[in-house]
Amino acid sequence: TTTRDGMSSDDDDDGVDVDIVRRGGRDAHATTTTTTTGDGRAHTEDDEAVDLLSADATGGTPTWFDARVFSSDSFDALKYVEEMTGFVSNETLLEQLNAEEEKIREELGTLVNENYEEFASLGDGLKDYEALKKSIEPESKEMREEVVRARDEMVQALERLEASVEEREASARTSASKRLADECAHTVSKVERLLGELDIKGEGARASSDAPMDDETEEKALASQVVLIAVEDKEGLDMLEPAFEDDQANPGDMTEDMHQSHVSDNVDERARMLDRVASEVNRLKFYQKQGKDLPLIRDLADRIEYCELKLMTLVQTALIDGLMEKNANIISHCLHACTAIGKLDVIETAIRSICIQPAVEKAIEGGSEEDFSTMLQRVTDAAFESCAYVLELTRDADSGLHSYDFVAGTILAEVDSQLSATQSNAFSPGIPKVFIKNYRAAMNFLHRLEDSAPTIASLNQFRASKHVEVFMKRWNLPVYFSLRFQELAGNVDDELNKPGLDTSLASDGFLLTSTTQTWLTMCKCTADNVFVPALADKFIRLMAQVLARYKSWVTSGIETLAIQQNTESTGDSAMTVGSNKTSWGGTAGGEELILVRLDIERLCERVRTDGVKNVETGVKSLGNELTSIATGCILDGAKDVESLIPKLSEFIIKVFVDRCVEALKQLKGITATFRMTNKPMPTRHSHFVPMILAPLETFLDAERTKMLSKESRQEIVGQVVESVCDKYAEMARELVSTVKKTEASLNRLKDRQGKTSSAGIGDTDKICRQLYLDVKELSLHIEKLGINVKESKSFAELWQAVESGEEK
């Protein structure tokens, strides 16, 4: 094959005759074609496919890609892409083509670098270059000039167009600014005129209504005088857009309508006009914000501020009249007016002063002798009743006021203010029992206010209110917890620091007063008259600390028992005497240790059941995750206390082992019995054998021992029997060894004296026989305790030590 540059391809050099060009994977099932390479070897397409697969597996060219097709005279790029995308994705094909391009560029660069001189001289042999250059030079120059001229014309046209656009934009901005200023000035004048007319009519109405007032009316009038007008300036509604076209379409008609509507002396009509004027003032504030850089609007700032203050004075007066008359139309228009210009504090102050304040004062005077919770309930009912008609108006979905909730700034603020002045002691944590009762009543009060919120947004608004924050700060919870901590932790410490173990007389199932006090304190931590959800972390931590303190108390007694054992073995009694003064372990016997173990088991079981339920009840309002963490903390504490049971059981076992071994001291009397007397071969056990395990039998018959689980009793008995058998085996081996050595010494002495040893049964045989009978009897007593002697390793060793005395 010959390429376009006249060079022979590699296929011609190698003598390869390929009939099928592999594209995509469409030739995967094609008939195998055999070719002959340049070296005469047979080569098939299957072999070549294997070679291509191998190349792909090692990171080379994939099997579906063949770069040789690009050199074919009949190569069609569109057809190639259409065929290949049927087998591979566009991204994969593009990636492979980019890789092939990079490969060709690298090869081209390598060839140029290796043959740079030949590459540089490629243009030396070109013919008629100068003539061709001269022939096309005039045309190219003319074309260049034409292009430059066209470009200059386009640039000039673009500059003129941009200048025209800028001029239009500047004109539009100027026109908009002028329209904004004119509209603002027009609106200011309109609002000033309307406010002036409303003020005149209002004064006339008030003058005509001057008449003697009864006590209730006079009280409300005096209360209205304390209403303050908030003068804080707030920006207009950002989302509003000035509708200049609508206002300027017929401004005279609108002013005339408003003027004609206002001339009426009807109070409801005046409130409606105030609502409309408030919308105009809100628009003024928007204009003022939009044109804050315009000199004319800056000059109108004082007039706009005056209009706002004048409007609020009139709205405040109308709102007070509406509240005193309980006129829903007046109140609704006034609320809309205050909401439009963002003066919500005026609403709260008026409602609080006219409606709620007198009702709360009257309720407090009527219940001065009642406790805080009862009074708070009475005051809350009176406050809600006094403003019920206003609440009903704002809760109406058609009123447009349901998004605003004034409960925090009115009911909560007034109740908090008056109770803090008249019942200041109720907020003091000095008496925790009274404080927690009052605090719970206050939380119920807040929950009632929250339940009155009509929407989620108003509920969140209530909770974020500064009045709620002020009310909550009056309840000094950290000081309350500090006092409770001293009370609860002090009771536990006082009880656990007492020497010895006192038996509990309580009916809670515990046997020791220390355990009773520990459990009682843990229950108090989550009791309704102690626990506070806001301090849940502190009270749960206190529960865990009480449980840890109980563990420390048990650990201290165990350590004292260990010291006592060490001093008994070394003979140093000074340390034992010192330890007895500070821990129950110095005076505890086997029965007392059983009481401690029983109480530990019962306390841990009670914590896992009732304790966990108490914690879940207290912190369930905080969520499942925190509840799980709290219960896990208490369960971990119970697990730590329960881990002391094995150590305590070791000392219980040690006490009963010592008692049982005490009877084994009579074992040495067997030697004297048969040495000093001429008793025959024994046929029954020694008298002390039933006494060996008597302490264990007494232990099992005790009422308190029966409180232990069957597994615990068998565990203690089994370990005591094992230890006693070990000690018995040791003493028996020592006794037999001593007897045999003594007998051997006597025989040697007789031999030296020329005496003949007596024939028959000797003392050694009698003693071994007696030991055998004793151990056999002991096995019967062990069986009565529920221990299988055949499974006891210690008894097997004991039997091995005395089996020589078995009758042959």
Side-chain angles (χ1 to χ4, degrees):
T1 305
T2 304
T3 59
R4 295 177 181 178
D5 56 359
M7 297 175 63
S8 298
S9 66
D10 294 338
D11 292 344
D12 287 342
D13 295 340
D14 295 339
V16 180
D17 183 11
V18 180
D19 294 333
I20 299 176
V21 177
R22 302 168 194 82
R23 296 178 181 178
R26 56 181 179 168
D27 299 327
H29 302 288
T31 303
T32 302
T33 303
T34 305
T35 61
T36 304
T37 59
D39 56 2
R41 292 184 293 107
H43 186 67
T44 64
E45 283 193 27
D46 289 342
D47 297 334
E48 188 171 356
V50 172
D51 295 340
L52 292 173
L53 286 172
S54 301
D56 181 54
T58 57
T61 305
T63 57
W64 53 267
F65 185 78
D66 187 2
R68 292 175 294 179
V69 299
F70 302 142
S71 303
S72 175
D73 294 337
S74 60
F75 174 73
D76 187 349
L78 296 178
K79 185 177 180 181
Y80 176 79
V81 172
E82 181 180 358
E83 292 177 353
M84 295 304 294
T85 52
F87 303 97
V88 296
S89 62
N90 294 335
E91 293 78 6
T92 305
L93 179 60
L94 178 60
E95 181 181 355
Q96 186 58 39
L97 291 175
N98 290 336
E100 184 66 21
E101 180 185 6
E102 185 66 22
K103 177 181 177 182
I104 293 174
R105 288 182 180 276
E106 291 179 359
E107 293 178 355
L108 180 59
T110 302
L111 291 174
V112 170
N113 292 332
E114 292 177 353
N115 305 280
Y116 181 75
E117 294 181 358
E118 296 180 5
F119 174 76
S121 62
L122 286 177
D124 293 344
L126 295 178
K127 300 178 180 180
D128 299 333
Y129 172 73
E130 292 296 333
L132 179 62
K133 178 180 178 183
K134 290 178 180 181
S135 64
I136 65 175
E137 186 173 4
E139 296 179 1
S140 62
K141 185 176 182 180
E142 182 180 354
M143 184 179 295
R144 177 183 294 275
E145 292 175 354
E146 183 178 354
V147 170
V148 171
R149 183 170 58 256
R151 184 186 64 183
D152 294 340
E153 292 177 357
M154 293 177 64
V155 170
Q156 292 174 4
L158 181 60
E159 290 177 353
R160 289 193 299 271
L161 181 60
E162 291 177 350
S164 176
V165 171
E166 291 179 358
E167 183 179 355
R168 290 183 180 181
E169 290 179 352
S171 177
R173 287 194 298 270
T174 303
S175 176
S177 300
K178 185 176 183 303
R179 290 168 60 194
L180 179 63
D182 292 344
E183 181 67 19
C184 186
H186 172 71
T187 306
V188 169
S189 300
K190 180 172 57 178
V191 170
E192 287 176 340
R193 182 173 63 257
L194 292 174
L195 290 175
E197 294 176 358
L198 285 169
D199 193 16
I200 293 174
K201 290 294 181 179
E203 291 177 357
R206 286 192 296 274
S208 63
S209 62
D210 288 340
M213 297 182 293
D214 56 10
D215 294 340
E216 183 179 358
T217 306
E218 183 178 2
E219 181 181 355
K220 292 184 178 180
L222 291 175
S224 65
Q225 296 178 5
V226 303
V227 180
L228 301 178
I229 301 178
V231 297
E232 293 82 357
D233 185 20
K234 295 186 179 180
E235 296 181 349
L237 301 176
D238 295 340
M239 301 304 295
L240 231 111
E241 295 184 359
F244 299 131
E245 294 79 2
D246 296 340
D247 292 340
Q248 291 184 352
N250 198 349
D253 294 343
M254 179 179 179
T255 305
E256 184 65 22
D257 291 341
M258 295 180 66
H259 179 71
Q260 293 297 330
S261 300
H262 175 65
V263 295
S264 175
D265 292 336
N266 186 278
V267 180
D268 292 350
E269 188 68 19
R270 292 184 66 251
R272 186 182 66 82
M273 289 302 303
L274 287 174
D275 189 2
R276 295 184 61 183
V277 173
S279 300
E280 297 297 323
V281 172
N282 183 39
R283 180 182 296 185
L284 279 178
K285 295 177 67 176
F286 175 77
Y287 291 162
Q288 187 179 19
K289 181 179 179 180
Q290 292 293 102
K292 59 184 178 181
D293 296 330
L294 298 178
L296 180 58
I297 293 183
R298 287 201 299 268
D299 294 340
L300 296 174
D302 293 338
R303 295 174 63 186
I304 295 173
E305 183 179 358
Y306 170 78
C307 290
E308 185 178 359
L309 293 175
K310 189 68 175 177
L311 173 64
M312 290 314 305
T313 302
L314 296 175
V315 171
Q316 179 188 18
T317 303
L319 179 59
I320 292 173
D321 293 340
L323 291 173
M324 295 175 66
E325 298 175 7
K326 296 184 178 181
N327 190 315
N329 290 331
I330 297 177
I331 295 173
S332 178
H333 286 303
C334 291
L335 293 182
H336 277 102
C338 293
T339 304
I341 58 178
K343 297 297 182 180
L344 304 179
D345 53 341
V346 174
I347 302 176
E348 294 177 350
T349 306
I351 296 175
R352 177 178 173 182
S353 301
I354 300 303
C355 301
I356 301 176
Q357 182 178 350
V360 171
E361 289 178 351
K362 185 177 180 180
I364 291 178
E365 291 175 359
S368 57
E369 301 298 329
E370 297 175 342
D371 60 354
F372 179 82
S373 58
T374 305
M375 178 179 292
L376 182 58
Q377 180 66 32
R378 177 194 297 271
V379 168
T380 305
D381 294 340
F384 271 103
E385 184 179 356
S386 66
C387 62
Y389 61 95
V390 184
L391 284 174
E392 183 179 357
L393 178 63
T394 57
R395 297 295 189 266
D396 187 3
D398 298 331
S399 66
L401 297 170
H402 58 277
S403 61
Y404 169 67
D405 190 63
F406 58 85
V407 173
T410 55
I411 298 178
L412 175 59
E414 185 60 32
V415 171
D416 180 29
S417 176
Q418 295 207 29
L419 287 182
S420 61
T422 59
Q423 301 285 331
S424 58
N425 293 334
F427 299 92
S428 175
I431 305 177
K433 293 182 179 179
V434 177
F435 176 83
I436 190 61
K437 181 180 179 182
N438 296 340
Y439 175 79
R440 289 190 174 277
M443 293 303 102
N444 293 333
F445 167 60
L446 283 183
H447 293 159
R448 181 174 177 182
L449 296 181
E450 290 180 351
D451 293 339
S452 68
T455 62
I456 298 298
S458 59
L459 176 60
N460 295 333
Q461 179 185 359
F462 173 82
R463 291 176 176 175
S465 171
K466 63 179 181 180
H467 303 288
V468 175
E469 182 180 358
V470 171
F471 183 71
M472 292 303 299
K473 284 184 178 180
R474 297 191 187 278
W475 304 97
N476 199 336
L477 295 180
V479 175
Y480 166 74
F481 177 76
S482 178
L483 296 175
R484 283 296 191 185
F485 181 87
Q486 295 175 11
E487 173 191 348
L488 299 178
N491 292 339
V492 174
D493 272 340
D494 292 343
E495 185 61 39
L496 297 183
N497 287 332
K498 292 180 180 180
L501 296 172
D502 295 336
T503 304
S504 175
L505 300 178
S507 59
D508 53 5
F510 297 109
L511 304 175
L512 301 174
T513 56
S514 301
T515 312
T516 298
Q517 185 62 51
T518 300
W519 174 244
L520 179 63
T521 302
M522 293 183 67
C523 291
K524 284 185 177 180
C525 288
T526 54
D528 291 339
N529 59 348
V530 175
F531 183 78
V532 177
L535 300 174
D537 59 327
K538 297 182 182 296
F539 279 104
I540 297 302
R541 186 187 301 114
L542 178 58
M543 285 187 68
Q545 289 173 343
V546 170
L547 204 54
R549 179 66 181 89
Y550 183 79
K551 177 190 174 184
S552 176
W553 174 74
V554 177
T555 303
S556 175
I558 293 175
E559 292 175 351
T560 301
L561 289 172
I563 294 174
Q564 197 172 35
Q565 286 186 2
N566 293 335
T567 52
E568 288 176 357
S569 60
T570 58
D572 186 5
S573 61
M575 184 179 299
T576 305
V577 173
S579 63
N580 289 342
K581 297 179 180 180
T582 58
S583 174
W584 57 267
T587 58
E591 290 74 13
E592 288 79 7
L593 294 179
I594 294 175
L595 297 181
V596 175
R597 170 167 175 160
L598 282 170
D599 269 12
I600 291 176
E601 291 179 348
R602 293 186 177 185
L603 178 62
C604 293
E605 183 62 26
R606 194 74 64 85
V607 169
R608 292 191 183 97
T609 54
D610 297 341
V612 170
K613 290 181 181 179
N614 294 339
V615 172
E616 290 177 348
T617 302
V619 302
K620 64 181 179 181
S621 60
L622 303 179
N624 294 332
E625 182 178 359
L626 294 180
T627 302
S628 177
I629 294 175
T631 54
C633 177
I634 302 303
L635 291 175
D636 289 342
K639 185 177 180 180
D640 290 342
V641 174
E642 197 172 32
S643 65
L644 299 176
I645 292 180
K647 296 181 181 179
L648 191 62
S649 298
E650 293 179 3
F651 291 101
I652 295 175
I653 293 168
K654 178 67 168 56
V655 170
F656 286 99
V657 168
D658 291 342
R659 293 180 182 179
C660 293
V661 171
E662 186 70 23
L664 290 177
K665 293 180 180 180
Q666 301 183 45
L667 190 64
K668 297 180 180 180
I670 296 177
T671 304
T673 300
F674 291 100
R675 292 282 187 194
M676 300 299 182
T677 63
N678 192 18
K679 284 188 175 184
M681 179 69 71
T683 58
R684 61 186 306 275
H685 61 82
S686 301
H687 68 281
F688 66 86
V689 174
M691 300 168 55
I692 297 176
L693 298 179
L696 270 183
E697 296 174 356
T698 304
F699 164 74
L700 292 176
D701 293 337
E703 291 296 329
R704 291 173 178 174
T705 304
K706 294 178 181 180
M707 297 179 184
L708 290 171
S709 63
K710 182 178 180 180
E711 293 76 11
S712 299
R713 294 196 302 269
Q714 286 300 113
E715 178 185 358
I716 294 175
V717 171
Q719 294 187 20
V720 171
V721 169
E722 290 290 315
S723 300
V724 170
C725 289
D726 287 338
K727 185 65 176 177
Y728 200 165
E730 179 184 353
M731 296 177 67
R733 282 193 294 267
E734 183 179 355
L735 179 61
V736 171
S737 176
T738 301
V739 169
K740 289 182 177 180
K741 290 180 180 179
T742 302
E743 185 176 4
S745 298
L746 291 175
N747 290 335
R748 286 195 298 271
L749 180 60
K750 290 179 179 180
D751 290 341
R752 284 197 297 269
Q753 293 177 355
K755 297 180 180 180
T756 303
S757 300
S758 60
I761 300 174
D763 294 339
T764 300
D765 296 332
K766 296 178 182 179
I767 292 173
C768 290
R769 179 63 176 172
Q770 185 65 62
L771 290 175
Y772 171 79
L773 294 174
D774 292 345
V775 171
K776 187 176 181 180
E777 178 65 19
L778 179 64
S779 66
L780 299 178
H781 289 276
I782 294 176
E783 292 284 352
K784 291 180 181 180
L785 296 176
I787 305 298
N788 188 354
V789 294
K790 295 180 179 179
E791 298 177 357
S792 175
K793 295 181 179 180
S794 299
F795 185 82
E797 295 180 359
L798 174 61
W799 187 261
Q800 185 178 2
V802 301
E803 64 179 354
S804 60
E806 184 177 3
E807 185 177 1
K808 304 299 182 181

